[in-house]
Amino acid sequence: MPDPASSPLPKFVPLTDRFDPGMSPTDALRHVHDVLRRRRSIRAFSERPVARETIEWLVRCAGTAPSGANKQPWRFVCVANPAVKHAIRLAAEEEERAFYSGRASEEWLRDLAPLGTDEDKRYLEIAPWLVIVFKLTRDDDDGLIYYADESVGIAVGMFLAAAQAAGLSTLTHTPSPMKFLGDVLERPANERAFVVIPVGYPAEDCQVPEHALWRKSLEDVAVFLE
Ligand code: IYR
């Protein structure tokens, strides 16, 4: 048992900065849904640049996510440097070659077939930014982390939603295994790569797989007990 005498006391402050959309929740959500429903994972990026300030705002938005014991167990490594992007592409393609030519199960490859993905990851060099999200396994002061996957997953979701609200496109790319990212980016031992998010604009001739347009119905995903 921890000694309660050594635990800091909670300090509460009034909830003042409340957000009011100025319309009914349903009206507000119709608008939010109209923005979010058009989010697509894209794999054909244009070279149109994105300002560093924009990426900084995206990271700020992601950083508003809730997290276990408010540990905020994430690091966003934001890469625009062409040489670093090139190194990430080469290492990712090596892993993906192994994935597509044997590491992935038959069923996995069958599930991916309608997406038309393969080991060609040129988008990792074309997108103006690669944001590599790391989860902390230990806090920077070596403290414990709780619910790291859930916390970082929520932060990534908020990052993607914020990018969509700003008119930017993203991809959640998870080359597997991802250890090479810590090596290439020279990250410390308490950081594990979680996802690679290319950020930018779709290429003029960008196409998306029809399969990805399908969404489960509300009835499929929701259960109400009233
Ligand atoms: N990481 C590989 C394979 C892949 C896996 C899943 I699950 C996807 O939804 C899409 C791709 C790749 O990026 O090609």
Side-chain angles (χ1 to χ4, degrees), residues 1-56:
M1 273 291 281
D3 175 6
S6 69
S7 301
L9 288 174
K11 179 178 174 224
F12 289 93
V13 292
L15 177 61
T16 49
D17 193 12
R18 299 185 187 211
F19 173 68
D20 176 359
M23 63 185 93
S24 74
T26 309
D27 284 343
L29 289 168
R30 253 191 262 282
H31 175 68
V32 172
H33 179 253
D34 195 43
V35 175
L36 294 185
R37 74 178 176 79
R38 283 181 276 178
R39 188 202 56 76
R40 302 279 164 239
S41 294
I42 65 155
R43 294 179 176 82
F45 285 83
S46 88
E47 289 177 2
R48 181 175 165 191
V50 171
R52 170 177 164 152
E53 186 188 16
T54 304
I55 303 298
E56 290 174 351

Side-chain angles (χ1 to χ4, degrees), residues 43 96 99-100 108 112 115 117-118 121 123 173-176:
R43 294 179 176 82
E96 299 291 13
F99 174 85
Y100 284 100
W108 196 343
L112 289 180
L115 296 176
T117 53
D118 58 26
K121 301 302 177 197
Y123 56 72
H173 175 49
T174 49
S176 165

Side-chain angles (χ1 to χ4, degrees), residues 77-96 119 121-125 129-134 173 175 177-178 180-187 195-198:
V77 179
C78 308
V79 178
N81 181 294
V84 181
K85 289 196 292 184
H86 181 65
I88 291 174
R89 175 191 173 180
L90 291 188
E93 287 184 334
E94 197 174 319
E95 296 295 358
E96 299 291 13
E119 61 271 19
K121 301 302 177 197
R122 69 189 66 193
Y123 56 72
L124 292 174
E125 287 194 78
W129 289 92
L130 301 180
V131 177
I132 300 90
V133 186
F134 288 82
H173 175 49
M178 282 196 271
F180 73 88
L181 290 164
D183 300 336
V184 171
L185 298 169
E186 299 180 5
R187 302 310 306 164
V195 67
V196 180
I197 311 179

Side-chain angles (χ1 to χ4, degrees), residues 211-222:
H211 176 76
L213 300 180
W214 169 71
R215 293 220 166 99
K216 290 184 178 180
S217 70
L218 183 63
E219 292 68 34
D220 287 334
V221 301

